[in-house]
Amino acid sequence: MNAPHPPKVAGIDSTLPTHAHTAAPASAAPGTPPVPTAHPPNSPHTPSAPAPGTLLQDRLAGWVSDLTTLHELTERLVRTTALDAALQELLRAGAALVGARRGLVVLEPGDGLGPRTTIGLGLGRADLGHIETVPRRALPYGELLDTAAGLPRGNGDTGESVCPDLFAEDGLDPRHREVAARLGYAASYALPLTTEAAGRLGAAVWLYDEPAEPDERRRHLAGLYVRYVTEHLARLLEVERTRASMATIAEELLPSRLPRVAGVQLAARRRSGPRGGGDWYDALPLPDAALGLAVGSVTGSGPSALAAMGRLRASLRAYAVMEGEDPVAVLSDLELLLRLTEPARSATALFAYCEPALRKITLAGAGHSPPLLIGERRTEFAETSVSAPLGMLACWEAPSAEIQAEAGDTVLLYTDGLLHRTGDPMDRAFARLQTAAASAPRALRHDPGALADHVLCTVLPDGLDAADSEEDVVLLAARFD
């Protein structure tokens, strides 16, 4: 049986300094006789009470210091643009404000739309897993995740949950006692993450290694900070949901899977910008055992660009089925449609009519970068004519080009986003792309997906292939047997 521990007030760290000159002196215990002084009452050495103006000045200095601390913490917070980074900053700053060493934040929006996640400070994945085995209502923040309990009740109430001595509590859940002893925490302080507009977003809890609780000043500052954090999290959550929705729409507008055609292997890779762009690809079987390959890009970003991309891709599929053996005719029809239906928008496109049995490719491009032919003895860009994007001229027309592939050759189609994300001038970006493809190990050249991954990571190192960028990236690789 654990003996109850007297709770103590959490200490003050350097992040939130104590103003000793503003604290009231501790009163003597009842019944304790006054301590005699060494000087008579009227002695000039008798310490006099501070003037009221001095106390007010000291108190104002303390308030200014607290406001400065909050300003510095919120400045660090607003520099976070990703949801996970903001949650980590909340944990670090909150730990400094309440004088704790560890903590966790549970993101669980009350509207059920997600995302749902748990992030720890000083707690590993295994530790978080142990905490999740405790019944929800037995956790220090369990009630805060209930919408009714998590919302502040007015009159300055923050809806906080204070547990100064966990093991001294009556009716402590046995599993919670076991987990707390295992992880070595004995007290907790939790705050809900709620806003009037967004409702409940989740809860944050900080854990103490021994019985403790933050004093009134620390709790006040933590409440102010968490209130600001929650508004910031609500904005980031909306951005995160918008990005996820745009990515889902883009995925639905693109092929769910690539077709299987004898004599050729296909692979595609796509990286979307944060607002969703209009880059797309397509691969569809055509009559006479042929294969149509296409990549393109629609100007703009956001929902309108995605909608235009979907319409353009669907139209190209119809034209490819009717007259795919003539890529120029396919793009001419597409240009006419674009000019009549969306005169304010332009697009680039490249369409290739492939005959896998002959390893022959006939293609035409409209303002698009040339394909890259990757073989055992060559890595070179295909010779294509220079042409304007669709919708730029009153009547688009350009000659087609033919490529004769060899067994084992891979034709790589891509959008300009791959080049723009490098940040280099276009000539250097083209050279980087060619060098990346030429440096692919021989073992990767038998798998178009592995080859596309190698090119993507080599052309865009340091995570640029996954970093937020206004530019979409599309790669479509076709390897001929």
Side-chain angles (χ1 to χ4, degrees):
M1 180 175 179
N2 292 322
H5 302 282
K8 70 175 185 179
V9 175
I12 306 298
D13 56 22
S14 58
T15 307
L16 192 65
T18 302
H19 307 289
H21 52 286
T22 63
S27 59
T32 303
V35 180
T37 60
H39 306 282
N42 296 326
S43 170
H45 298 285
T46 303
S48 59
T54 302
L55 290 176
L56 178 60
Q57 186 175 14
D58 288 351
R59 180 168 298 180
L60 289 175
W63 290 344
V64 169
S65 176
D66 291 345
L67 290 175
T68 301
T69 298
L70 286 177
H71 175 73
E72 292 175 353
L73 294 179
T74 53
E75 281 289 308
R76 291 211 309 254
L77 176 71
V78 297
R79 288 195 289 268
T80 60
T81 57
L83 192 59
D84 285 351
L87 294 175
Q88 290 285 1
E89 181 60 31
L90 161 63
L91 285 175
R92 286 192 294 266
L97 287 174
V98 303
R101 187 174 64 88
R102 294 179 293 174
L104 66 150
V105 57
V106 180
L107 188 66
E108 189 177 301
D111 55 16
L113 299 179
R116 297 162 62 107
T117 185
T118 301
I119 295 179
L121 173 69
L123 298 170
R125 286 184 175 273
D127 299 332
L128 296 176
H130 287 305
I131 293 176
E132 290 177 352
T133 63
V134 179
R136 181 185 177 104
R137 297 292 295 179
L139 290 168
Y141 55 88
E143 291 187 1
L144 301 184
L145 293 177
D146 178 10
T147 303
L151 289 173
R153 293 178 287 275
N155 299 325
D157 185 10
T158 61
E160 64 185 8
S161 173
V162 186
C163 181
D165 192 347
L166 182 68
F167 296 106
E169 288 191 352
D170 295 332
L172 179 64
D173 183 85
R175 179 57 183 166
H176 192 190
R177 179 186 298 274
E178 179 184 348
V179 170
R182 182 188 187 100
L183 300 184
Y185 66 86
S188 66
Y189 178 70
L191 286 172
L193 305 176
T194 60
T195 67
E196 293 184 2
R200 186 202 71 204
L201 301 183
V205 59
W206 292 274
L207 306 174
Y208 300 94
D209 296 341
E210 56 186 37
E213 64 176 306
D215 58 22
E216 181 180 356
R217 171 170 163 260
R218 282 178 169 268
R219 289 158 70 168
H220 177 67
L221 290 178
L224 293 176
Y225 178 72
V226 168
R227 190 181 310 166
Y228 183 87
V229 170
T230 308
E231 296 290 344
H232 184 65
L233 290 177
R235 292 189 291 269
L236 292 181
L237 183 63
E238 195 64 30
V239 172
E240 189 77 14
R241 288 175 174 176
T242 301
R243 290 182 180 180
S245 298
M246 297 294 290
T248 301
I249 294 173
E251 291 297 327
E252 292 297 325
L253 291 174
L254 295 173
S256 57
R257 60 179 180 178
L258 296 173
R260 293 186 177 182
V261 179
V264 65
Q265 303 175 48
L266 300 174
R269 298 292 184 267
R270 186 178 189 272
R271 300 291 185 269
S272 178
R275 293 188 297 174
D279 286 18
W280 54 276
Y281 67 92
D282 204 354
L284 68 157
L286 296 176
D288 302 326
L291 174 69
L293 301 177
V295 292
S297 177
V298 176
T299 56
S301 60
S304 62
L306 286 177
M309 177 263 283
R311 291 191 293 268
L312 205 65
R313 172 180 170 265
S315 301
L316 185 140
R317 291 175 70 93
Y319 298 145
V321 171
M322 293 187 295
E323 48 193 6
E325 68 278 0
D326 186 357
V328 173
V330 172
L331 293 187
S332 295
D333 293 343
L334 195 63
E335 194 274 339
L336 178 60
L337 176 71
L338 183 67
R339 184 156 47 88
L340 293 176
T341 58
E342 301 186 60
R345 194 182 297 276
S346 63
T348 66
L350 187 147
F351 177 73
Y353 179 80
C354 305
E355 300 173 82
L358 303 176
R359 303 192 191 95
K360 180 182 176 182
I361 305 169
T362 305
L363 59 90
H368 209 83
S369 300
L372 184 61
L373 188 60
I374 307 169
E376 293 294 333
R377 296 182 297 273
R378 58 176 176 173
T379 301
E380 59 189 22
F381 292 101
E383 293 288 342
T384 57
S385 59
V386 178
S387 60
L390 303 176
M392 295 293 290
L393 301 178
C395 181
W396 177 89
E397 187 175 355
S400 62
E402 289 188 1
I403 300 176
Q404 185 61 53
E406 298 179 0
D409 284 356
T410 299
V411 177
L412 182 67
L413 282 63
Y414 53 93
T415 57
D416 290 343
L418 177 64
L419 307 174
H420 293 321
R421 279 203 185 193
T422 64
D424 292 339
M426 291 301 289
D427 56 342
R428 292 186 181 180
F430 275 115
R432 176 183 288 191
L433 172 58
Q434 187 173 10
T435 301
S439 66
R442 186 180 299 272
L444 298 182
R445 295 174 183 251
H446 299 285
D447 182 355
L451 180 60
D453 289 334
H454 170 81
V455 170
L456 191 61
C457 295
T458 306
V459 174
L460 301 176
D462 303 325
L464 289 176
D465 63 317
D468 286 346
S469 172
E470 296 301 321
E471 299 287 346
D472 283 6
V473 176
V474 163
L475 285 84
L476 180 60
R479 183 182 184 274
F480 291 87
D481 297 336

